[in-house]
Amino acid sequence: MGIRAEHGERILARLPRAGCVFADEERWWWIVPAGSDVGLTWPPGVHYAVGDPSWTRPRPADRPPGPRLVHGPDGDSPYTAPIPLYFLVCRLTGVPPRWSVAP
């Protein structure tokens, strides 16, 4: 899940526990468990990427490097719990949380 860099440090500071967090000049990226988009409507401007992030694959020499690791996991899991992350993102972007029980 990626969000504009301006919110990155504030979100990280408010999470009770975070997994791996990557950042580049434009976005901060949290690694969340697969399916963290099911039933949730992430706010506009948030990018939920499915599958292997592009920066983990080899890149041509003429392309800039991808995001760098800015925070290692607080525990044994590389994942950030998606529900606390979701509520923080909604609050910081000023968007009310929306979810459904049907996937």
Side-chain angles (χ1 to χ4, degrees):
M1 189 286 307
I3 190 164
R4 291 190 326 246
E6 68 189 66
H7 296 303
E9 288 185 28
R10 288 187 292 176
I11 291 171
L12 185 58
R14 288 170 174 81
L15 283 171
R17 196 184 107 204
C20 293
V21 181
F22 295 85
D24 59 22
E25 297 77 33
E26 296 177 15
R27 297 200 172 279
W28 280 46
W29 297 91
W30 277 260
I31 306 302
V32 294
S36 295
D37 62 329
V38 175
L40 295 178
T41 302
W42 289 90
V46 172
H47 292 277
Y48 184 85
V50 177
D52 183 26
S54 64
W55 67 82
T56 64
R57 295 190 286 277
R59 299 172 76 87
D62 62 338
R63 294 207 41 210
R68 67 197 183 290
L69 181 68
V70 294
H71 178 80
D74 292 331
D76 295 336
S77 174
Y79 302 113
T80 296
I83 299 303
L85 179 61
Y86 175 72
F87 282 107
L88 278 169
V89 167
C90 286
R91 182 166 187 209
L92 288 173
T93 59
V95 175
R98 288 188 21 209
W99 60 87
S100 67
V101 292

